[in-house]
Amino acid sequence: MKKSLGLLLAALTVMGGSLMAFASSANTTAASKTTVAAKIAPVHINTATLAQLETLPGVGPKLAQEIIKHRPYKNAHDLQSKVKGIGPSLWKKIAPYVLFN
């Protein structure tokens, strides 16, 4: 009985440590996502380079090239109507980082 109780306590200790490690890694992941989002600099959509446009979430080289190709843009509606691939969901991701002037 004492041996069983000892094994049970050891298992609970190991499980508790695993749960704590899991909780800690979840907090770290959430914090790193916040840090990444905070590092995106605002981009002037009418003057940004290809590399600067690619820093926007969801914008790769092809879409960045399309943005450059159809310049200038007056506002978000103008951008979305001229560039195929920038719809409401992508606009929602990039809107905080896009400047038009």
Side-chain angles (χ1 to χ4, degrees):
M1 180 77 169
K2 286 184 180 181
K3 186 174 183 180
S4 296
L5 185 58
L7 288 173
L8 179 61
L9 287 173
L12 288 173
T13 302
V14 169
M15 295 264 312
S18 296
L19 289 173
M20 292 299 289
F22 176 77
S24 176
S25 70
N27 288 339
T28 302
T29 303
S32 66
K33 286 181 182 178
T34 303
T35 304
V36 170
K39 290 184 179 182
I40 299 173
V43 172
H44 293 272
I45 202 77
N46 290 314
T47 60
T49 64
L50 186 74
Q52 290 170 324
L53 290 169
E54 288 180 42
T55 65
L56 296 171
V59 176
K62 289 181 181 180
L63 189 54
Q65 191 64 270
E66 286 299 306
I67 292 170
I68 291 171
K69 181 179 173 182
H70 297 288
R71 286 176 178 165
Y73 307 101
K74 297 175 190 165
N75 52 42
H77 177 70
D78 193 27
L79 174 67
Q80 291 178 47
S81 66
K82 288 182 179 180
V83 182
K84 183 178 178 180
I86 300 183
S89 62
L90 181 58
W91 174 247
K92 191 180 283 188
K93 291 179 188 177
I94 67 173
Y97 313 108
V98 174
L99 303 172
F100 286 95
N101 48 0

